[in-house]
Amino acid sequence: MTRQALNTGEMIELNPDLSPGCLLHRSDVNDVARVEDLTFICSGKREDAGPTNNWMAPSEAYDRLGRIFDGSMKGRTMYVIPYLMGPEGSPFSRVGVELTDSLYVALSMRIMTRAGRVAMDRLAVDGSGAPGTAAGFVRGLHSKADLDPRKRFICHFPEDQAIWSVGSGYGGNALLGKKCFALRIASHLGRLEGWMAEHMLLIGVEAPDGEVTYIAGAFPSACGKTNLAMLEAPLSQRGYRVWTLGDDIVWMHVGEDGRLWAINPEAGFFGVAPGTSYRTNPNAMRTVQRDTIFTNVLEAPNRTVWWEGMSDPPGHGADWRGRPWTPGNGDKGAHPNSRFTVPAANCPTLSPHWDAPMGVPVSAILFGGRRAKVAPLVYESFDWAHGVYVGASMASETTAAAAGQVGVVRRDPMAMLPFCGYNMGDYFAHWLEMGRRLTRPPKVFHVNWFRTDDRGQFLWPGFGDNLRVLRWIVDRCHGRAGAVETAIGFLPTLGDIDLDGLDLSEATIGELLRIDRGAWLEDLRDQTAFFTRFGERLPRAILERLQGTVARLSGQAYHGPASPA
Ligand code: OXD
Ligand code: MN
């Protein structure tokens, strides 16, 4: 298949000595990101898709897309890809089958999922494989068709366990195991069956004495999940290390011990290339040295790849569109949403438990986004229900991972706004319900690495130094670290986080941990407007937690649900 892709020009072989097994793919210039405007949840009832999803009636979607699919693969090879999401032998893993006319998709699915025999064997064991049963499989139909953005649709039929995607070859639109199945369809299944599919990274933080604490973290697209998932401890944090289990999606179940257990359903990483370097993410750089498909990056003269932020630029090259490029010619060498697709097995920090059938027990859940202002570096929620409110009220500045304006703040609950396959009001209720079933729920935190000063400079060094914040989080989980109670949650005080050796003034640290009352109250008004959209479907607990925050911040007594220390 690789040879065929090279013959057709769909892939370019990179230097076999410098980048063994690596390929370069250039997409159509109109097909470089997820298209949220063209993504639909096709549930029988519009209310079940909710106010944050585009909805199309199933009959209309099958009809409209059917007409585009009709004849669209003529003269092309159709690939049939059975694949397993989740570890082999795991009771939580699920099978999908994708039909596609894209060789790029077929080669990428081989990396991102456990494709082939393991999935067939699983279907044989599970029985009929009829859709709608736990033993069924998710049916995915994909065609590039003619890549015409006017005939591009990504449609999900949660009640049929089916996905139809047409007119795009971009990963998030076309690798149907990822966003379409593992998040949109799986979130719907999780609600029905009592588990969770989340847009989260998964790591284990190892302390010098060998104790490993597992943390799952939800951050919107292109907000540093891959960097955090592969974090390398700086010299100042000797003895600590971060184990990688996943960088984008987790499926979580309530264990017999009352804890939340997580698996990574994927088998590879589909990471954003620009900004990735030996300084920001050395483990990602080590991971992509071989067997990697690069999409829309710059081709450097010796048939290696380069992107903005990797290193000093080469003297010249071919840009992501294949046009001659020199540094400073005014164009980006790599597209801002250019990507690497690489097997998880390449990652030097991959946890020995990353494919454990039952997964790992999660002690902490992080929520975070890009917030230049408002959110402090870190805070902890009062309890699970308050944590659900913290996740539901998340917001972040938009990035290049989806088509549309970059840098505008939008509310993005649990980083699931584009990925929740049903009404988000019901989704919040499901989170609350999961908490009732967990006797030992994870603690919930909010982090923000992206706070800036008045000149727009980041206040926190980020990257490896984020481990300092993770250590406070781990210590909170084990009841070892201090905090102060504030109106929004528990914050560390100056002495609670190890800041040794960091070149940060006291003023900067103060700013990082400051709650800007005015800005926060303004954000609460925006939250209120957002939550109002869910009407009756919004759980009362969310509203009560919001009102509690308003009352505490405005210094009024609030006699709502307890928020114990
Ligand atoms: C991704 C995304 O590709 O979130 O992971 O867009
Ligand atoms: Mn993602």
Side-chain angles (χ1 to χ4, degrees):
M1 282 160 67
T2 303
R3 216 172 309 117
Q4 266 176 44
L6 296 175
N7 289 341
T8 61
E10 211 158 335
M11 298 279 191
I12 297 166
E13 189 178 25
L14 292 167
N15 189 319
D17 298 320
L18 300 172
S19 308
C22 291
L23 303 167
L24 169 65
H25 172 76
R26 291 196 183 101
S27 78
D28 195 90
V29 294
N30 289 319
D31 188 27
V32 292
R34 281 184 296 100
V35 282
E36 296 180 2
D37 291 355
L38 303 172
T39 298
F40 292 82
I41 301 300
C42 307
S43 42
K45 293 198 202 111
R46 181 192 284 267
E47 315 82 86
D48 290 339
T52 57
N53 279 315
N54 299 314
W55 176 82
M56 208 190 289
S59 55
E60 183 190 344
Y62 283 130
D63 186 55
R64 272 174 87 177
L65 273 68
R67 273 183 274 132
I68 304 172
F69 271 114
D70 197 11
S72 67
M73 296 185 182
K74 197 166 179 184
R76 295 180 185 161
T77 302
M78 183 177 78
Y79 300 89
V80 180
I81 311 165
Y83 62 94
L84 183 70
M85 297 308 289
E88 223 179 314
S90 168
F92 309 132
S93 297
R94 294 290 172 113
V95 175
V97 178
E98 176 166 357
L99 310 186
T100 179
D101 58 0
S102 162
L103 191 44
Y104 168 75
V105 166
L107 288 170
S108 301
M109 286 293 283
R110 271 185 67 235
I111 296 176
M112 294 305 298
T113 72
R114 292 151 173 98
R117 181 159 300 280
V118 288
M120 298 301 287
D121 289 351
R122 176 62 178 257
L123 274 184
V125 170
D126 281 353
S128 71
T133 66
F137 62 91
V138 170
R139 295 172 297 165
L141 178 60
H142 170 253
S143 172
K144 297 179 285 188
D146 49 13
L147 295 177
D148 179 351
R150 287 166 310 177
K151 288 189 272 167
R152 180 173 295 164
F153 293 97
I154 323 296
C155 287
H156 304 73
F157 305 89
E159 291 140 16
D160 298 345
Q161 292 193 40
I163 305 155
W164 282 19
S165 165
V166 69
S168 167
Y170 171 74
N173 301 327
L175 308 181
L176 300 187
K178 195 174 179 63
K179 303 303 187 181
C180 300
F181 177 173
L183 287 177
R184 297 195 189 98
I185 299 287
S187 60
H188 163 84
L189 292 174
R191 177 172 174 239
L192 291 181
E193 299 168 6
W195 52 281
M196 309 165 94
E198 299 297 332
H199 190 204
M200 291 180 178
L201 61 81
L202 184 61
I203 54 177
V205 179
E206 183 175 330
D209 64 2
E211 165 203 76
V212 181
T213 306
Y214 293 97
I215 300 178
F219 298 77
S221 310
C223 286
K225 281 208 300 296
T226 307
N227 290 347
L228 189 58
M230 299 183 187
L231 184 149
E232 183 161 84
L235 284 179
S236 64
Q237 306 293 301
R238 216 188 297 269
Y240 289 89
R241 63 177 301 173
V242 169
W243 293 102
T244 308
L245 291 98
D247 79 330
D248 197 40
I249 299 175
V250 298
W251 288 355
M252 300 191 286
H253 292 76
V254 181
E256 276 171 15
D257 57 1
R259 290 190 290 177
L260 193 58
W261 288 73
I263 60 165
N264 170 10
E266 300 192 280
F269 306 114
F270 178 63
V272 178
T276 307
S277 70
Y278 276 101
R279 187 182 66 82
T280 61
N281 191 344
N283 288 317
M285 294 301 288
R286 293 173 193 127
T287 303
V288 301
Q289 293 310 303
R290 55 190 315 125
D291 308 324
T292 305
I293 298 175
F294 295 97
T295 306
N296 291 342
V297 299
L298 180 105
E299 185 184 353
N302 51 3
R303 284 172 49 230
T304 56
V305 292
W306 183 85
W307 48 77
E308 277 70 18
M310 179 208 271
S311 57
D312 290 340
H316 62 99
D319 72 9
W320 65 276
R321 302 174 196 228
R323 301 178 311 189
W325 178 91
T326 49
N329 77 345
D331 289 327
K332 293 247 189 262
H335 186 275
N337 192 36
S338 53
R339 298 277 177 150
F340 51 80
T341 309
V342 64
N346 276 22
C347 179
T349 52
L350 193 66
S351 160
H353 305 294
W354 85 284
D355 58 356
M358 300 309 285
V360 294
V362 175
S363 296
I365 287 178
L366 313 186
F367 292 121
R370 272 175 200 274
R371 292 310 296 270
K373 302 285 168 215
V374 188
L377 179 62
V378 59
Y379 64 96
E380 179 191 329
S381 72
F382 295 121
D383 54 29
W384 177 267
H386 181 242
V388 176
Y389 159 69
V390 168
S393 59
M394 256 173 76
S396 190
E397 292 149 27
T398 51
T399 68
Q405 217 185 333
V406 169
V408 293
V409 174
R410 72 168 181 183
R411 306 233 74 90
D412 188 353
M414 284 81 170
M416 282 287 277
L417 183 77
F419 305 122
C420 184
Y422 61 101
N423 189 314
M424 276 203 125
D426 298 340
Y427 170 78
F428 302 146
H430 180 50
W431 265 80
L432 292 164
E433 172 57 25
M434 289 292 293
R436 285 188 276 272
R437 290 174 47 211
L438 291 163
T439 49
R440 295 158 72 191
K443 280 181 174 283
V444 180
F445 298 82
H446 188 281
V447 298
N448 177 26
W449 321 128
F450 299 97
R451 192 140 171 176
T452 58
D453 63 17
D454 293 339
R455 289 167 299 135
Q457 305 287 322
F458 290 118
L459 291 172
W460 177 248
F463 305 110
D465 285 309
N466 291 343
L467 183 58
R468 298 169 186 267
V469 177
L470 296 183
R471 281 179 52 203
W472 178 73
I473 288 170
V474 165
D475 286 343
R476 287 295 293 171
C477 291
H478 299 297
R480 299 192 287 247
V484 283
E485 185 175 344
T486 74
I488 63 165
F490 297 113
L491 258 76
T493 59
L494 263 186
D496 293 323
I497 295 190
D498 169 15
L499 298 170
D500 261 13
L502 272 190
D503 188 19
L504 291 182
S505 69
E506 263 195 38
T508 301
I509 298 164
E511 183 59 22
L512 277 165
L513 295 175
R514 189 169 70 91
I515 301 163
D516 181 338
R517 223 174 125 262
W520 202 283
L521 282 167
E522 197 178 310
D523 197 65
L524 287 165
R525 279 190 283 278
D526 192 57
Q527 289 178 26
T528 307
F530 177 72
F531 286 135
T532 304
R533 294 173 63 196
F534 297 97
E536 288 292 296
R537 300 251 189 158
L538 184 75
R540 275 198 63 78
I542 300 291
L543 212 56
E544 284 168 359
R545 297 296 169 145
L546 185 145
Q547 286 161 353
T549 314
V550 175
R552 284 191 299 274
L553 271 175
S554 1
Q556 297 158 10
Y558 176 68
H559 303 291
S563 45

